[in-house]
Amino acid sequence: MKEAVMECLRCILALVCVGFGLVKHSQALIDNSFRSSSLESSSSSTTIRMTTSLSSTPLVLPDPRLSHWARAASDYLRSLDCTTVTFTSQSECQRLQSLDTRQMNVYLAGPRSRDTLVAVLPDGGLSRGKSHDAVLVIDPYPTAAFGHLVIVFSLDLDTDWEECRNRLGWYIGDGECIQIIEKRRCRNKLHRKTGRRRCEINFLPLVHLEGDDDTEQQLRCFSNVGSFGACPQYRSDTGNYTNRCELSHNTYRCELPVQHVIARCKIYEICDQAVLISGGWNRQTSQQHNVQNIRGVYSMLREHGFKRPNIKTFFADSGDILLEEDELSNRNSYPATQKDAIRNHISTLCRVTNCVETLVIYLNSPVMNDGTSLLWDTDSDGVASETETYTASEFLGDIEDCRAKRIYVIADQSFSGLLAETIITSEKHNNVVVFASGGATEYSWNDELTWQWVEANHTTQCVDGIFEDYVDTMTSLPIMAEGGFNAANSTIFGAPCNTLPFFTQHEIKLNFMGCQNLPMKWWLVKFKESRNSRS
C-alpha cells in the first residue's frame, strides 16, 4: 500500500514539476518528505522547522538524523578537557560548556548519496581538509558579530570505532564518527597563549560538493532542532552587484555600469561628510539586522544636518539598501564590492583642503582577528582575496594626515579595539577619534554600539559625553581612543562643547549642521587655485 501511495505521489509531483522545470528534483522531494514524516512520528519531543540559510533559495528539508547529530556534537563539547583544547582558549572552552543550547544555532551540509563535501574558510585552511560525508556547525553566539567563534564538525558515516579514535574523533554508533575541525597549524601548544583568537574559526565555512566548480553553498541553518534555537533573520532583498565590475574592469560582461563615487567638495563651502561601510561577505553573514544598522545610522546623520549627497553608503552586495528612504538617498548608496571606490572616496575627502569639517566613518563588517574587514565574496570561492577585504592598515593609511577638521570612527564590529590601539600610538592621526565596540580580542554584541549612537541626543551632548553614558552598559568593554589631545571636543556634527549650552536650536542648525560658507579669504584662495589648475 505504501509503495502504491509513493508511486502515485511521484506521478503527481512529476506532472507539477514539469510545469516549473523541476523534474530532476521530484524524487528528492518525495524521499525527503517521507523521511521528515518518519522523524516526526518517531520523536514527538523534537521539532525541526524546515528553513533555509538564504531567503532566495528553495526550502531544504533536514536530514532525519540532524537532531541526533546536533545532540552528539553538544555532548562532545561538554566532554572535552578544556586544559588541552587548541581551537580556543581554556576559559572560552569552559564558557561553551556552560551555555544553554537554546541560545545556539545549528547548521548542516549533507550528507549526499555518493557525494562528499569540502569546507573552506575565508581566512585560512582547515586541518583534516579532506572531504567528508557531512559538515555540522554550531554557532554558540548568534547575537555576536562575525567573526566570532563557531565550532565546525565533520561527520563520516562509514567508519568503525578504532578508525574514529585514530582520527581523534568521537564514535557515536552506527558507523558514525564526529570530529572537531580546526584551523591548520593550530595544534601547536606553543601558540596557545599568544594566538587564541588566531586559532579560532570565526566564520561559517563555505561547504560545497567536492568537484563542484560553482562552489554552491550546501550549509543550511535549521531552526528548533532538538534544544537548539531559531535561525537568524536573513535579508530578503536582491543583490545587484556584478562580478568583475570594479572601477578597473568596465567590460561588456558587466550587467551594471561602473559606479563612480563623486566626493562633493565645493570651493566656497565646508561640509560634514559620512562614509558607511558594511561588508557582509555573503548572504549568511549579512543579515537583516545589518540592514537596520545602516538605515539607523543614516537616519541619525540626516536628522543632524548631514546632506544626502554627503553620506556615501557601501553595503554588502546591494546598492539599493536606502531605496525605502527615498530615491535621492539611494542614489548615493553602492555595493561594498567596490573596494577601490571606498578607498578612493575616503582618500579624496581627506586630500582636499577645506572640504570636510566633520567626517563620520561607520564600520559594521565581519572582521578577521587581525582587524581585516570582509567586504564581499564576489567570486563565491569562500576564500578572502586582497580585492575582497579592507585591512586595518589600509583604512588607517587612507585617513592618516587627513585634512578634515575632525574624524569620528564608529566601529561596531569584532576586534575593533585593534583600531583604537593603533590610533593611540600614531603620530599621523591627531584629529581622529575611534569609538570601538570592544577590545582587540573582544566580539561585538547585539549591535549595541550602533544603537547607542543612533538613539543619543546629539544636539545636547558631545561625543565624549555619549561615550561616558554607555561605557558601563554594554556586553563588551567599549573604548574611546583619541589620536590627539582633546580631539573628542564637539558634537557629531562639529558644534563646540564649551559653548554648546549657549546656543539655541536654530543657531546650532544654522551655524554647525550640514554645510557652512567658507570665509571670503578662503574662497578667493581656492578660486585662484582652481583657475591655476585649469590653466
Side-chain angles (χ1 to χ4, degrees):
M1 182 67 181
K2 181 178 179 181
E3 288 77 11
V5 172
M6 289 184 65
E7 187 61 30
C8 182
L9 282 174
R10 287 193 187 97
C11 294
I12 295 172
L13 188 55
L15 289 173
V16 173
C17 289
V18 166
F20 292 91
L22 299 175
V23 174
K24 63 180 181 180
H25 296 305
S26 60
Q27 177 64 51
L29 288 172
I30 289 289
D31 295 341
N32 283 331
S33 298
F34 272 94
R35 284 209 303 265
S36 181
S37 299
S38 63
L39 172 69
E40 183 175 349
S41 62
S42 62
S43 179
S44 58
S45 61
T46 299
T47 302
I48 301 180
R49 182 181 300 161
M50 293 183 294
T51 186
T52 176
S53 61
L54 305 176
S55 59
S56 60
T57 58
L59 288 177
V60 177
L61 299 174
D63 190 286
R65 296 165 288 183
L66 175 56
S67 181
H68 164 62
W69 291 335
R71 184 171 58 253
S74 176
D75 293 342
Y76 187 13
L77 283 177
R78 288 188 169 86
S79 70
L80 291 173
D81 180 359
C82 288
T83 62
T84 62
V85 299
T86 55
F87 66 88
T88 190
S89 68
Q90 178 178 341
S91 59
E92 192 72 53
C93 173
Q94 292 170 341
R95 182 183 182 187
L96 284 174
Q97 293 179 333
S98 64
L99 285 178
D100 187 348
T101 54
R102 288 175 294 183
Q103 302 174 11
M104 303 180 185
N105 288 158
V106 63
Y107 296 75
L108 179 69
R112 298 278 293 268
S113 61
R114 298 185 300 277
D115 288 318
T116 54
L117 300 165
V118 176
V120 180
L121 288 177
D123 58 344
L126 291 167
S127 66
R128 307 184 185 94
K130 69 180 187 70
S131 58
H132 299 280
D133 294 318
V135 175
L136 184 143
V137 178
I138 290 180
D139 181 354
Y141 307 125
T143 60
F146 288 102
H148 63 263
L149 174 67
V150 297
I151 316 299
V152 182
F153 298 87
S154 65
L155 279 164
D156 294 298
L157 307 181
D158 188 17
T159 184
D160 55 33
W161 179 87
E162 185 174 358
E163 183 181 0
C164 184
R165 184 189 62 176
N166 293 337
R167 295 179 183 176
L168 302 179
W170 197 26
Y171 188 73
I172 56 178
D174 296 327
E176 299 174 348
C177 180
I178 188 170
Q179 305 165 259
I180 291 181
I181 300 180
E182 301 179 23
K183 276 189 176 179
R184 196 171 295 150
R185 297 184 299 276
C186 279
R187 297 196 63 80
N188 188 344
K189 294 182 181 180
L190 294 176
H191 297 289
R192 287 181 62 216
K193 291 185 178 180
T194 59
R196 70 180 180 92
R197 293 300 186 198
R198 181 181 68 83
C199 289
E200 286 184 355
I201 294 178
N202 297 127
F203 303 97
L204 298 173
L206 169 63
V207 184
H208 62 86
L209 298 177
E210 188 175 21
D212 178 14
D213 294 334
D214 294 332
T215 61
E216 181 182 353
Q217 175 66 290
Q218 302 295 317
L219 193 68
R220 299 286 186 268
C221 181
F222 294 96
S223 290
N224 303 322
V225 176
S227 60
F228 286 82
C231 293
Q233 182 182 1
Y234 294 100
R235 290 165 47 201
S236 58
D237 62 288
T238 303
N240 60 7
Y241 82 100
T242 302
N243 290 350
R244 298 179 296 278
C245 283
E246 290 284 351
L247 295 179
S248 58
H249 295 84
N250 188 13
T251 71
Y252 288 111
R253 291 175 297 179
C254 296
E255 296 175 8
L256 299 175
V258 172
Q259 295 171 314
H260 295 281
V261 182
I262 301 174
R264 184 176 181 268
C265 294
K266 296 185 177 181
I267 62 174
Y268 54 83
E269 68 180 9
I270 187 169
C271 296
D272 298 328
Q273 305 257 4
V275 181
L276 316 183
I277 305 172
S278 180
W281 187 240
N282 59 37
R283 285 271 167 164
Q284 285 182 318
T285 54
S286 177
Q287 299 168 3
Q288 186 60 31
H289 67 93
N290 298 112
V291 177
Q292 295 164 350
N293 290 345
I294 285 289
R295 290 174 178 167
V297 174
Y298 179 86
S299 297
M300 179 268 291
L301 294 172
R302 290 284 297 125
E303 288 173 5
H304 294 91
F306 286 72
K307 296 183 179 297
R308 290 186 183 92
N310 294 341
I311 307 175
K312 297 296 191 292
T313 299
F314 299 90
F315 180 80
D317 61 337
S318 175
D320 293 333
I321 198 62
L322 297 176
L323 195 57
E324 292 186 5
E325 301 290 333
D326 56 65
E327 179 60 33
L328 292 176
S329 300
N330 197 64
R331 197 174 296 171
N332 296 287
S333 179
Y334 309 88
T337 57
Q338 299 200 20
K339 176 182 178 176
D340 290 341
I342 296 173
R343 299 196 64 188
N344 289 339
H345 181 63
I346 294 176
S347 298
T348 299
L349 293 178
C350 283
R351 187 171 60 248
V352 179
T353 305
N354 296 309
C355 173
V356 183
E357 182 174 32
T358 302
L359 176 57
V360 176
I361 301 178
Y362 173 69
L363 305 176
N364 188 224
S365 299
V367 178
M368 299 182 189
N369 51 43
D370 64 353
T372 297
S373 297
L374 298 182
L375 297 177
W376 196 260
D377 186 13
T378 53
D379 56 10
S380 302
D381 68 348
V383 179
S385 65
E386 182 180 350
T387 60
E388 297 169 341
T389 59
Y390 194 12
T391 68
S393 60
E394 287 174 334
F395 171 68
L396 292 171
D398 291 339
I399 63 172
E400 72 177 22
D401 295 324
C402 185
R403 296 183 179 181
K405 286 190 176 181
R406 62 190 68 85
I407 302 175
Y408 294 142
V409 179
I410 303 172
D412 192 359
Q413 53 193 28
S414 296
F415 316 122
S416 54
L418 290 168
L419 292 175
E421 290 179 356
T422 306
I423 289 295
I424 293 173
T425 59
S426 173
E427 296 181 357
K428 297 183 177 182
H429 298 88
N430 294 329
N431 58 345
V432 178
V433 184
V434 173
F435 299 95
S437 56
T441 60
E442 286 189 292
Y443 309 139
S444 172
W445 298 87
N446 296 300
D447 308 312
E448 293 171 332
L449 184 70
T450 296
W451 292 96
Q452 290 290 346
W453 285 92
V454 169
E455 297 172 354
N457 188 345
H458 294 283
T459 56
T460 60
Q461 283 187 293
C462 287
V463 291
D464 54 352
I466 293 172
F467 170 77
E468 292 296 332
D469 282 350
Y470 68 69
V471 66
D472 295 322
T473 66
M474 291 173 53
T475 305
S476 295
L477 181 62
I479 298 173
M480 183 184 78
E482 297 178 275
F485 175 72
N486 203 27
N489 61 353
S490 79
T491 64
I492 200 167
F493 50 86
C497 293
N498 55 344
T499 57
L500 185 63
F502 304 105
F503 290 111
T504 65
Q505 293 295 317
H506 177 71
E507 290 172 329
I508 289 175
K509 184 175 182 179
L510 181 66
N511 297 319
F512 299 104
M513 289 185 177
C515 298
Q516 286 77 45
N517 291 329
L518 287 167
M520 182 60 69
K521 63 176 182 179
W522 286 110
W523 185 89
L524 290 174
V525 169
K526 295 191 73 173
F527 181 71
K528 290 179 181 179
E529 290 177 351
S530 177
R531 289 190 62 183
N532 291 336
S533 64
R534 285 199 298 268
S535 63

